[in-house]
Amino acid sequence: MSTVTTHVLDTARGVPAAGVPIRMDRIGPDGTVEPVGSGVTDDDGRIRDLGPDDLAAGVYRLTFDTASYSTATGQENFFPEVAITVRLVAVDGAVPHHHVPLLLSPFHYSTYKGS
């Protein structure tokens, strides 16, 4: 399983958000951006294989292409993309698994550190 997993729930429709393209980048201390992984949410709104199984500690950004999802579902969308930046910290020499959910509606989104 990837070090970072995610899922997207469409709270306006009350369903998992299938078909959302997501990319994950590592943000270097100097601001450089390095692509790490990408994928598209499945029928359950999840990506289980977003990036490598082992990631180094550091800052990562997940960018959700919400514009393409809203177009595909015929919804309005105020946020054409959602970028969530997280800091992964090593515990006992390794970065543990992190789950980053996104709750999405046309005019609102929220996230939290999942389990």
Side-chain angles (χ1 to χ4, degrees):
M1 179 186 337
S2 298
T3 300
V4 175
T5 57
T6 186
H7 75 271
V8 183
L9 299 174
D10 183 332
T11 59
R13 296 173 55 219
V15 298
V20 179
I22 303 169
R23 77 174 187 274
M24 183 168 57
D25 300 308
R26 181 181 168 101
I27 311 300
D30 61 355
T32 57
V33 177
E34 175 189 346
V36 173
S38 64
V40 177
T41 56
D42 62 17
D43 289 342
D44 195 31
R46 296 178 182 274
I47 296 183
R48 291 170 174 85
D49 295 318
L50 181 58
D53 292 345
D54 296 307
L55 288 173
V59 176
Y60 294 84
R61 181 176 53 222
L62 283 74
T63 304
F64 299 76
D65 180 357
T66 54
S68 66
Y69 174 74
S70 62
T71 297
T73 58
Q75 298 182 75
E76 288 188 61
N77 187 323
F78 185 69
F79 303 100
E81 74 175 22
V82 172
I84 301 171
T85 305
V86 299
R87 179 180 310 279
L88 303 183
V89 177
V91 176
D92 296 326
V95 174
H97 172 258
H98 290 279
H99 188 66
V100 183
L102 176 65
L103 307 177
L104 182 64
S105 73
F107 302 104
H108 172 268
Y109 67 88
S110 64
T111 187
Y112 56 95
K113 181 182 179 191
S115 57

